[in-house]
């Protein structure tokens, strides 16, 4: 019978191997095959995409819940919880990898501090694959705040400032609007709401 120590050791080794593989740069079955293909979604027939819009007005399409995320490497003010980058928090580590992988953020972008821009480039490429007129509302994401009005970064998974969401949307108003995020426990919540115009 295995002791608890053996189980923990084996479990840690398996997790380390799994999450090292997830983080690997080489393309594999768990890696999003984005590459630099001309299509934002590899394998999707562009003629089929054109046909599904027949008779529809693209300006009536508003995706009302699209998240921004970033590390703040562009000066955006975004940040993610440290646990998402720590292999000893395997679920959080995998969560970050899945988000960046889904957004086609190349591991080299992480290494050179280009995550914020890479994420927005991918989001914009996906939006531009739609006919003109279709738009997305980009969500800011406020920090957690306790009942006393104190910031709780330890409760916060990621933070996207309102100013950043506004700025990204302003770069491409033909594709993006933005939605403010203001925690109601903030002492200045109403003032922040007034400023979020």
């Amino acid at each position: 019978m295995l002791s608890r120590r053996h189980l923990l050791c084996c479990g840690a080794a398996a997790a380390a191997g799994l999450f090292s593989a997830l983080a690997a740069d080489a393309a594999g079955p768990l890696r999003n095959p984005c590459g630099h293909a001309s299509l934002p979604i590899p394998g999707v027939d562009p003629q089929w995409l054109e046909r599904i819009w027949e008779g529809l007005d693209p300006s009536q399409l508003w995706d009302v819940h699209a998240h921004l995320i970033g590390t703040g490497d562009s000066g955006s003010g975004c940040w993610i919880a440290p646990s998402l980058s720590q292999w000893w928090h395997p679920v959080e580590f995998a969560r970050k990898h899945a988000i960046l992988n889904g957004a086609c953020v190349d591991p080299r972008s992480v290494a050179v501090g280009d995550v914020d821009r890479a994420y927005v480039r991918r989001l914009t490429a996906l939006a531009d694959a739609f006919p003109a007129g279709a738009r997305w509302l980009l969500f800011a994401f406020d920090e957690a705040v306790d009942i006393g009005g104190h910031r709780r970064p330890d409760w916060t998974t990621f933070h996207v400032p309102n100013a950043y969401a506004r700025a990204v949307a302003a770069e491409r108003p033909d594709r993006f609007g933005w939605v403010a995020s203001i925690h109601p426990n903030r002492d200045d919540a109403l003032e922040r709401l007034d400023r979020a115009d």
Side-chain angles (χ1 to χ4, degrees), residues 7-28:
L7 288 173
L8 288 173
C9 179
C10 293
L18 172 63
F19 295 110
S20 295
L22 284 175
D25 193 12

Side-chain angles (χ1 to χ4, degrees), residues 36-72:
H36 298 288
S38 59
L39 290 175
I41 307 172
V44 174
D45 177 4
Q47 292 178 346
W48 176 79
L49 285 176
E50 288 177 19
R51 285 195 307 272
I52 65 171
W53 286 99
E54 288 176 8
L56 299 176
D57 178 2
S59 68
Q60 297 300 305
L61 172 68
W62 281 71
D63 184 320
V64 297
H65 193 149
H67 272 289
L68 285 173
I69 195 167
T71 61

Side-chain angles (χ1 to χ4, degrees), residues 47 56 63 93 105 133 148 166 195:
Q47 292 178 346
L56 299 176
D63 184 320
F93 187 90
V105 175
R166 180 190 297 121
R195 291 197 304 268

